[in-house]
Amino acid sequence: MTACNCPVTQPGPTLASTCGGAPFMLFMGLLEVFLRSQCDLEDPCGRPQMKTTLLSEYDFIVVGGGSAGAVVASRLSEIPEWRVLLVEAGMDEPTGTQVPSMFLNFLGSEIDWAYSTEPEEMACLSEEGRKCYWPRGKVLGGTSVMNGMMYMRGSRKDYDTWAGLGNTGWSYNEVLPYFLKSEDNLQLDSMDRGYHGKGGLLTITKFPYHPPLSKAILKAGEELGYPIRDVNGMYHTGFAIAQTTSKNGSRLSTARAFLRPFKNRPNLHILLNSTVTKVLINTTTKTAYGIELLNNGAMQSIYASKEVIISGGAVNTPQILLLSGIGPEEDLAAVEVPLVHNLPGVGKNLHNHVAYFVNFNINDSNSAPLNWATAMEYLLFRDGLMSGTGISEVTGFVNSKYNDPNEDNPDLQLFFGGFLANCAKTGQVGEKLDNSTRQINIFPAVLHPKSRGSLKLKDNNPLSHPLIYGNYLTHTDDVKVLVEGIKFAIRLAETQALKRYGFKLDKTHAKGCEEFKFGCDEYWECAVRHHTGPENHQAGSARMGIDQMAVVNPLLQVHGIDRLRVIDASIMPAVTSGNTNAPTIMIAEKGSDMIKARWLTPEAGFFYTSHPSQRIDRQWGSW
């Protein structure tokens, strides 16, 4: 562990507050003191410093320092003569987020945009106001600071389908090199050969510690005919203990992986706690030339001589486009935003995976996994329950009866919850949370949802949250597939591998579904509509394509506006079959190379080979 030679000033939500306040203050407060004394976690010397004085003009401005934006800013600033500004609405990542087992703690905190959908017609019916909750990272590193860290690329068919829609260059074989470019895989020997990379900026590895139940779940999957395999390799169907974006038992966000190693680049400026209110566009030439932002209560304009790149994610990106006058003419007129370019697809095609939590009880007392013993194991060795996400590290990709298994494009993903060492009041070993037995969750998610939502501006105030219409489960096929996923979860719990743990289905009736017999299809159809799991894989709201409803072309340039690109999950024509962080990083890697291809010439000193990670440098020193 490195020595702390810099002052510790990192703010952010406290662990005690994320656990529930006063009852957790003593143990969680003390644990946080110890965690913040660990210099590899706090990293006071490695964090990028915010620029106090900005230039009036940059070559490139990247809006949003999240999963994609941090990568784009890092890659563009590799060119020493390019001045790059990265603008992030949130703060730097709090120390507590570095601990893998704390990954749920920061939902709803000040580093979360804490969005909610408008009242749903067919989902989240038992939630307050029939609204689904959408956490999104408002922090440097974005949602890669708050997610479960699973590294999942999706299926080959995902990308081949994108290419089949006219998106030249986005087939699986064409995007695979950009996955490899980022990757520094620490377990190449146990992964499918040829599908993983070494030496990239993003460390990919399994967590150091695996609860015994994790391995039992893999065996249960095998009993039902699903192999244990590298689901990012030759095939996508099967079960796995996932590889993750982690390093030495701690989280590796895109900010930590792609920005911190280059914090001293003089041409890379990072501005935190600043909200971009719109992109500046010349209405005559339809060319982007800068941004307007709100910083410390003051409005400021900053100019870009080459391009503006929006990397705000599936919610903020369409919001910024709309605030800039780019979007459906009628929607902009309704909130009195002057029209710059009529682009009807902005905010449309918004969609997300959708899940349902199936609860089980096992033969184990419901004691807190977090205690002083597990804490010391982590503080001293970066091992034990705090170094992972409990059984949330396990996943399975399976087929419902509606899906063709021969396509290797599974339509269901299974997630698991339990043994998460995230909160405790006393730190004593065996501290009971209540007098019941331990609960385990299995939650199937629909990977290819057919329901589509949309996003509009609430008003023309850039600080207002947009109106989000999730439209979950409005297509009946999504409900049918999800019910099949629930049945699979129950079958999984009945396998010999899990019987020894005493898995028992919690048959508490779902609120609002009392009229149906527990366990019949009608009951589950009711349950998924009342207690919907909205997932956090939002995508598609600035869709890539060549048709009239597309927002960006295959080069990720906004249709009709020069020098403006979108690089994030919002460009996905259809969400990938799995967790979306790895595909978003890939999109950022590919998008960055597309920008370089436009603006770099041999005279600038760089020639690129056919492999995107190789650069022949004839003029500049290595960065």
Side-chain angles (χ1 to χ4, degrees):
M1 276 168 262
T2 57
C4 287
N5 296 319
C6 302
V8 175
T9 58
Q10 193 52 32
T14 65
L15 289 179
S17 68
T18 67
C19 286
F24 297 89
M25 194 66 71
L26 184 60
F27 173 66
M28 296 304 295
L30 194 54
L31 176 59
E32 183 158 24
V33 170
F34 284 122
L35 288 171
R36 294 189 65 172
S37 70
Q38 308 283 300
C39 296
D40 60 320
L41 300 179
E42 178 71 23
D43 196 18
C45 299
R47 293 174 180 267
Q49 300 300 308
M50 192 173 84
K51 298 297 178 183
T52 51
T53 54
L54 297 175
L55 304 176
S56 59
E57 182 180 89
Y58 291 82
D59 293 284
F60 298 93
I61 298 174
V62 182
V63 180
S67 297
V71 179
V72 174
S74 177
R75 292 306 189 189
L76 294 182
S77 63
E78 288 174 344
I79 312 304
E81 59 190 354
W82 284 355
R83 298 160 301 168
V84 179
L85 174 65
L86 176 63
V87 184
E88 167 55 42
M91 62 177 73
D92 201 354
E93 49 194 313
T95 306
T97 61
Q98 308 303 296
V99 181
S101 68
M102 309 287 181
F103 82 104
L104 292 178
N105 290 44
F106 292 86
L107 302 184
S109 73
E110 62 190 281
I111 64 167
D112 181 2
W113 281 101
Y115 292 118
S116 289
T117 66
E118 293 304 294
E120 293 282 317
E121 294 297 323
M122 309 291 280
C124 294
L125 300 181
S126 288
E127 302 300 323
E128 184 177 348
R130 303 197 320 275
K131 296 182 176 184
C132 300
Y133 184 66
W134 278 21
R136 297 281 84 197
K138 186 182 181 181
V139 61
L140 192 63
T143 308
S144 75
V145 175
M146 300 163 57
N147 66 358
M149 291 158 277
M150 268 194 192
Y151 183 80
M152 290 292 153
R153 295 175 177 172
S155 73
R156 174 183 289 270
K157 189 173 180 182
D158 290 334
Y159 304 103
D160 289 346
T161 300
W162 292 7
L165 295 171
N167 294 302
T168 305
W170 290 90
S171 69
Y172 178 78
N173 287 339
E174 290 168 301
V175 302
L176 179 59
Y178 288 99
F179 282 112
L180 302 182
K181 180 179 182 178
S182 297
E183 200 176 344
D184 185 21
N185 199 301
L186 303 187
Q187 290 149 341
L188 283 178
D189 292 343
S190 59
M191 298 291 117
D192 289 355
R193 184 177 293 273
Y195 288 87
H196 296 280
K198 189 78 176 170
L201 294 173
L202 189 69
T203 304
I204 305 299
T205 184
K206 294 180 180 179
F207 292 129
Y209 177 80
H210 312 297
L213 183 53
S214 289
K215 294 171 184 176
I217 293 170
L218 299 185
K219 294 293 183 186
E222 279 190 312
E223 280 189 49
L224 295 183
Y226 287 91
I228 302 167
R229 60 163 43 129
D230 173 11
V231 292
N232 289 317
M234 191 173 296
Y235 301 103
H236 189 51
T237 308
F239 277 68
I241 291 177
Q243 288 197 304
T244 60
T245 50
S246 65
K247 187 176 183 179
N248 299 328
S250 63
R251 175 188 295 277
L252 190 66
S253 70
T254 56
R256 191 175 164 205
F258 289 87
L259 294 177
R260 292 194 197 182
F262 312 111
K263 72 182 188 73
N264 292 323
R265 280 181 182 164
N267 64 326
L268 174 60
H269 292 184
I270 299 172
L271 183 62
L272 301 179
N273 301 305
S274 300
T275 301
V276 172
T277 58
K278 68 176 180 180
V279 178
L280 299 173
I281 299 165
N282 184 315
T283 55
T284 303
T285 62
K286 296 285 183 80
T287 302
Y289 65 90
I291 60 169
E292 188 178 86
L293 61 82
L294 194 59
N295 180 21
N296 291 325
M299 204 67 82
Q300 186 176 358
S301 294
I302 303 176
Y303 302 106
S305 62
K306 289 185 172 67
E307 291 194 29
V308 175
I309 300 100
I310 306 179
S311 298
V315 175
N316 292 108
T317 284
Q319 181 186 20
I320 293 168
L321 287 172
L322 292 168
L323 288 167
S324 306
I326 303 169
E329 186 172 6
E330 64 280 7
D331 290 356
L332 295 175
V335 291
E336 299 180 349
V337 171
L339 178 70
V340 172
H341 185 64
N342 183 25
L343 203 54
V346 175
K348 305 299 191 287
N349 190 50
L350 178 61
H351 60 288
N352 194 359
H353 296 143
V354 61
Y356 180 79
F357 284 72
V358 188
N359 300 321
F360 300 87
N361 290 94
I362 63 172
N363 294 334
D364 189 17
S365 61
N366 196 23
S367 57
L370 179 60
N371 53 55
W372 278 120
T374 54
M376 293 310 295
E377 194 172 9
Y378 185 74
L379 291 166
L380 294 174
F381 307 112
R382 297 293 182 270
D383 207 339
L385 279 169
M386 285 179 66
S387 68
T389 55
I391 62 170
S392 296
E393 65 176 359
V394 185
T395 195
F397 292 91
V398 303
N399 297 294
S400 76
K401 68 181 183 182
Y402 304 106
N403 202 51
D404 182 359
N406 296 316
E407 288 192 345
D408 189 39
N409 189 35
D411 59 346
L412 285 164
Q413 183 177 5
L414 294 178
F415 297 99
F416 302 85
F419 292 97
L420 189 63
N422 58 346
C423 290
K425 294 177 182 177
T426 67
Q428 294 177 345
V429 176
E431 175 191 323
K432 285 198 172 185
L433 300 174
D434 55 41
N435 292 321
S436 64
T437 55
R438 187 179 302 281
Q439 193 166 83
I440 299 296
N441 321 112
I442 304 178
F443 40 113
V446 177
L447 288 178
H448 309 141
K450 296 179 180 178
S451 304
R452 289 293 184 271
S454 62
L455 178 149
K456 297 180 180 180
L457 294 179
K458 179 183 178 182
D459 50 40
N460 57 20
N461 180 354
L463 299 182
S464 297
H465 281 191
L467 303 175
I468 301 169
Y469 301 91
N471 291 349
Y472 284 106
L473 304 178
T474 48
H475 198 294
T476 54
D477 286 0
D478 295 350
V479 178
K480 291 176 181 177
V481 172
L482 189 49
V483 169
E484 287 301 306
I486 293 169
K487 293 176 182 177
F488 186 94
I490 294 170
R491 290 202 304 276
L492 191 75
E494 293 170 347
T495 57
Q496 290 298 318
L498 296 186
K499 269 186 179 176
R500 58 188 285 254
Y501 287 88
F503 268 70
K504 288 184 179 177
L505 178 63
D506 181 353
K507 295 187 176 181
T508 305
H509 248 74
K511 181 183 173 185
C513 303
E514 293 81 3
E515 63 184 288
F516 300 104
K517 180 184 175 184
F518 183 93
C520 69
D521 281 10
E522 292 82 359
Y523 170 79
W524 290 124
E525 288 172 9
C526 174
V528 301
R529 292 194 185 281
H530 277 266
H531 303 277
T532 315
E535 269 310 328
N536 301 312
H537 303 150
Q538 295 86 346
S541 53
R543 178 171 65 82
M544 172 174 61
I546 55 175
D547 59 287
Q548 280 200 319
M549 291 301 290
V551 176
V552 299
N553 65 20
L555 296 176
L556 307 185
Q557 298 162 320
V558 174
H559 284 295
I561 303 291
D562 191 22
R563 304 193 180 205
L564 178 62
R565 294 191 209 227
V566 171
I567 302 182
D568 58 33
S570 67
I571 67 97
M572 294 183 182
V575 68
T576 50
S577 303
N579 308 65
T580 49
N581 191 243
T584 299
I585 294 169
M586 175 278 292
I587 290 166
E589 290 280 25
K590 185 170 171 61
S592 299
D593 261 15
M594 289 171 170
I595 295 170
K596 288 176 177 176
R598 175 175 181 178
W599 297 101
L600 277 182
T601 64
E603 286 73 31
F606 302 100
F607 295 86
Y608 282 84
T609 70
S610 59
H611 193 282
S613 65
Q614 295 176 335
R615 185 183 80 188
I616 299 171
D617 184 346
R618 71 172 191 190
Q619 187 171 339
W620 300 97
S622 173
W623 281 56

